[in-house]
Amino acid sequence: MEINWEYLHAQAIEAMKTAYAPYSKFPVGAAALVDDGRVLRGCNVENASYGLTLCAECGLVSSLMATGGGRLIAFSCVDMHGNSLMPCGRCRQLLFEHGGGSLQLMTDSGVRPLSELLPWAFGPEEMTKRRD
Ligand code: THU
């Protein structure tokens, strides 16, 4: 499928503008292309109880399931300046569940597969493999 990185980047910026980040003052926006062509967004949502903060990727994955599921194909995440931001470790794991190692991510060093950002990942296949 054709990936329009400019559009994804613009969608991530729009999502960033909706962030609720009064504590860190570090708004984050994420956008992803789904295998059926949908483009989803997510923003970070903080909480007075800091540890409960939801990363932008959490909202995006929640939106994925709420709008019909599917596999994530391409992903872009930005900071308040619209610069690419690397997903945190926990969010790499979230993305792996729904996109696998072949999910393409925009980084400062160009487009990279998630398998490079989260090598030797633990994922759904490890679960099924060991149940057989
Ligand atoms: N944040 C995200 O939304 N995604 C990431 O992958 C990195 C961190 C948010 C969480 C928190 O609201 C703010 O950035 C500062 O850590």
Side-chain angles (χ1 to χ4, degrees):
M1 187 183 295
E2 179 81 11
I3 299 169
N4 186 339
W5 286 106
E6 264 182 40
Y7 181 69
L8 266 193
H9 184 237
Q11 287 294 302
I13 290 173
E14 287 309 307
M16 179 271 292
K17 292 177 187 166
T18 69
Y20 176 71
Y23 306 108
S24 70
K25 303 199 174 359
F26 193 89
V28 176
L33 173 66
V34 185
D35 60 356
D36 65 358
R38 268 147 62 227
V39 172
L40 304 175
R41 297 168 13 172
C43 62
N44 53 338
V45 179
E46 297 185 346
N47 193 280
S49 179
Y50 293 177
L52 301 184
T53 288
L54 302 174
C55 281
E57 295 86 338
C58 297
L60 188 144
V61 165
S62 182
S63 168
L64 173 71
M65 301 316 296
T67 60
R71 298 292 288 171
L72 300 176
I73 300 292
F75 173 86
S76 170
C77 187
V78 298
D79 66 13
M80 69 282 267
H81 305 298
N83 294 325
S84 280
L85 189 70
M86 299 301 281
C88 76
R90 178 178 180 274
C91 289
R92 293 178 198 201
Q93 183 71 28
L94 277 187
L95 294 171
F96 187 81
E97 181 83 16
H98 300 283
S102 61
L103 171 61
Q104 303 294 306
L105 291 94
M106 180 52 77
T107 77
D108 282 342
S109 339
V111 177
R112 296 272 187 261
L114 182 55
S115 57
E116 269 185 36
L117 277 59
L118 190 68
W120 297 87
F122 173 82
E125 280 170 24
E126 296 298 322
M127 299 284 286
T128 44
K129 205 161 70 183
R130 284 171 171 78
R131 281 209 189 94
D132 296 340

